[in-house]
Amino acid sequence: MRIDGRVAWFPKAAGLWKPSTGLSLAIFRISFGLLVFISQVRFLLKGWVEACYLSTDFHFTYQYFHWVEPLSPDWLMYALVVVTALSGLLVAIGLWYRVSTIILFFSFTYLELIEQSWYLNHYYLVSLLAFLLCWLPADNCLSVRSWQPRERIPILYTNIIRLQLSLVYFFAGLAKLRSDWLLEAQPLKIWLRAKTDTPIIGPLLGYEETAYLFSYGGMLYDLSIPFLLWYARTRPFAFLVIIGFHVMTAVLFPIGMFPWVMIVGSLVFFKDEEWRKIIFISDAARDRFQNKSILLNILFMVFFSIQIFLPLRRLFYLENQLWTERHYRFGWNVMLAEKTGIATYRVVDPETGRIWTEYPGRILSATQEKQMAYQPDMIWQYAQYLGNRYRDREGIEPQVFVDCKVSFNGRPSQKYLPEDLDLMNISEDDIYDHITDLICK
């Protein structure tokens, strides 16, 4: 079988190159770009540039990205957020599309990498979607360049965005197949009982049965909704469920823009023909495909192989990932844990025995201190910061210890790390094993 003069190695693969106008992809581009623009304007108006990037001199960074830091002077950070907002707007209208998507991806991702304590799943998702748009002809129609479709493009390009969103839902559902979520309805018991003052539904949220209903409903929703979106007959019903589900989560839980990202993202699942019934647009595109690069196909295969591997890598470790936080990020572990902690550091001069007590709140912001107290790599990073600080200030080779207790999903606080563990003498990866050894005793 040949498609556009090329061999399709598997008959079913021909469907991937089925010609389309790219209307669904263009709708996604517009809604995604506008959402990024709104979110960045919101970031500026709420004063989060100061709170996140400028209020402290120390920042928690991601492994392998420790070189990322806030731009200096301070006004450059405001400028970077403005550039990100404008690039989102340009993507939405399709002006200078290729350059705009590249700027959007790099600027948004740079902002995300500066401060680990502000990690959110939807920030990561926005970076992934922006990266994919860099390679897709999403400006084929409904853009400044051309309102009508210029030429037909493979449906594969639209399916790439659909697949990315489907993976988010599916792996979020798999992550909920845990005893705490299904047998204890945690952490929803804790969160819902704190929302009993919500208008209309508030009184119902205090019942244990409601927490179990939400737990099983959330798990079934995540596992089923991508399949319902792909199937034409169930797609309208699925979209209404998505709106109801995410509006409910936006009302009950402080999870930022995530509900709106998923709502507007689901628009891409509607077919071009369905959108033409809503938008007056012709189907008179030229019957010619965009160039199908072998390297581009390899890029997408590698990209999605990584996206499948990252959520599944936890299976290689015989430990409670929610306790240790090993590989917790970037795995679509959405709303699975309620953790609180408290940490105090001791810096010791091994030669003189002199001890300094360090309370993180003296240097860190409230968000940084809260997140650091139960995330092992951040506990380790702050220990390295203190050690280097005392090495420079006191001229010593310090030992750094932490007294840390963590509560997980309503359980009593538990010692998180050995008090005699010198954090200056272990690697960032080693700290997870020490937590596992202590908790499993």
Side-chain angles (χ1 to χ4, degrees):
M1 180 177 291
R2 290 180 176 272
I3 303 296
D4 192 31
R6 303 186 183 209
V7 175
W9 296 105
F10 300 98
K12 289 185 177 180
L16 297 176
W17 300 104
K18 178 182 177 182
S20 74
T21 59
L23 182 56
S24 297
L25 185 60
I27 294 291
F28 171 78
R29 184 206 79 231
I30 294 169
S31 56
F32 176 75
L34 288 176
L35 190 62
V36 171
F37 172 74
I38 293 170
S39 69
Q40 294 304 290
V41 172
R42 177 172 174 259
F43 203 88
L44 287 168
L45 295 179
K46 285 186 170 291
W48 289 343
V49 175
E50 174 70 27
C52 182
Y53 306 120
L54 306 177
S55 61
T56 63
D57 294 328
F58 175 79
H59 291 276
F60 293 103
T61 54
Y62 293 86
Q63 192 172 22
Y64 312 122
F65 291 93
H66 298 309
W67 51 272
V68 178
E69 58 185 25
L71 302 178
S72 181
D74 291 352
W75 67 266
L76 286 176
M77 288 308 306
Y78 286 94
L80 184 59
V81 175
V82 171
V83 167
T84 306
L86 291 178
S87 63
L89 184 59
L90 292 175
V91 167
I93 65 177
L95 181 61
W96 304 317
Y97 170 74
R98 196 67 63 184
V99 173
S100 299
T101 52
I102 293 173
I103 293 175
L104 174 58
F105 167 68
F106 280 106
S107 61
F108 189 93
T109 303
Y110 192 91
L111 288 170
E112 180 185 1
L113 291 175
I114 290 175
E115 180 54 65
Q116 188 175 219
S117 66
W118 282 61
Y119 171 84
L120 290 171
N121 283 290
H122 69 271
Y123 288 169
Y124 174 46
L125 178 58
V126 167
S127 287
L128 295 179
L129 293 173
F131 174 79
L132 290 174
L133 284 178
C134 291
W135 306 95
L136 302 176
D139 63 335
N140 189 55
C141 60
L142 303 185
S143 66
V144 170
R145 185 179 178 187
S146 176
W147 179 257
Q148 301 288 345
R150 296 197 307 275
E151 60 186 25
R152 296 187 182 277
I153 63 174
I155 191 64
L156 171 66
Y157 294 149
T158 304
N159 285 341
I160 283 172
I161 299 295
R162 292 169 177 167
L163 177 58
Q164 177 59 70
L165 295 170
S166 297
L167 290 178
V168 174
Y169 277 121
F170 184 71
F171 282 118
L174 285 183
K176 291 179 173 63
L177 298 177
R178 303 173 188 260
S179 59
D180 270 35
W181 186 271
L182 298 178
L183 302 182
E184 303 295 335
Q186 290 286 18
L188 287 178
K189 279 184 185 177
I190 299 172
W191 294 340
L192 293 179
R193 286 171 181 168
K195 295 291 184 177
T196 53
D197 58 345
T198 303
I200 303 176
I201 64 172
L204 298 175
L205 302 181
Y207 292 103
E208 186 173 289
E209 292 79 1
T210 304
Y212 279 98
L213 178 64
F214 274 55
S215 290
Y216 279 87
M219 180 268 295
L220 293 174
Y221 169 86
D222 285 337
L223 289 176
S224 63
I225 206 69
F227 301 100
L228 296 176
L229 283 170
W230 280 89
Y231 187 48
R233 291 187 177 181
T234 57
R235 189 177 300 119
F237 166 76
F239 183 64
L240 292 177
V241 172
I242 286 172
I243 293 175
F245 180 88
H246 285 295
V247 168
M248 176 72 73
T249 56
V251 170
L252 294 178
F253 309 116
I255 52 177
M257 299 294 289
F258 186 77
W260 315 115
V261 172
M262 301 311 290
I263 289 175
V264 302
S266 63
L267 297 174
V268 77
F269 285 89
F270 289 93
K271 294 183 177 180
D272 293 359
E273 305 83 57
E274 294 171 311
W275 279 114
R276 279 201 299 273
K277 296 178 181 178
I278 303 173
I279 302 174
F280 184 74
I281 189 170
S282 71
D283 190 16
R286 288 177 292 173
D287 195 10
R288 183 172 67 85
F289 275 15
Q290 299 258 339
N291 180 39
K292 300 187 289 292
S293 167
I294 294 177
L295 292 178
L296 186 60
N297 295 337
I298 294 174
L299 171 68
F300 289 141
M301 286 190 288
V302 171
F303 176 87
F304 284 110
S305 296
I306 294 172
Q307 287 305 301
I308 292 172
F309 169 74
L310 290 180
L312 295 178
R313 59 185 170 167
R314 63 183 176 86
L315 300 178
F316 294 100
Y317 300 92
L318 299 177
E319 62 186 34
N320 187 330
Q321 184 197 39
L322 299 182
W323 260 117
T324 66
E325 302 262 344
R326 193 198 309 252
H327 302 319
Y328 186 77
R329 304 182 197 94
F330 314 113
W332 309 120
N333 295 293
V334 183
M335 300 178 67
L336 294 182
E338 169 63 22
K339 296 177 74 174
T340 57
I342 184 170
T344 304
Y345 288 82
R346 290 177 292 115
V347 182
V348 179
D349 181 352
E351 294 187 0
T352 65
R354 186 179 178 185
I355 300 175
W356 294 266
T357 300
E358 284 284 346
Y359 298 97
R362 293 175 178 173
I363 295 176
L364 302 180
S365 69
T367 297
Q368 287 179 313
E369 182 181 14
K370 176 183 176 181
Q371 296 293 321
M372 179 274 296
Y374 59 79
Q375 299 193 47
D377 54 343
M378 295 169 69
I379 292 173
W380 179 87
Q381 279 190 44
Y382 193 65
Q384 305 308 303
Y385 167 76
L386 290 176
N388 292 331
R389 186 181 179 202
Y390 275 85
R391 182 182 293 114
D392 295 339
R393 190 178 71 183
E394 303 292 337
I396 63 174
E397 290 298 324
Q399 297 173 319
V400 180
F401 307 92
V402 64
D403 301 321
C404 182
K405 289 186 176 181
V406 173
S407 173
F408 167 58
N409 281 353
R411 295 174 175 85
S413 294
Q414 182 174 339
K415 186 181 296 184
Y416 203 47
L417 282 163
E419 295 180 0
D420 59 350
L421 176 65
D422 181 8
L423 298 178
M424 298 299 292
N425 287 330
I426 65 171
S427 70
E428 187 170 358
D429 292 323
D430 291 340
I431 194 169
Y432 300 103
D433 294 327
H434 288 283
I435 293 173
T436 301
D437 293 340
L438 182 62
I439 291 176
C440 291
K441 286 182 179 179

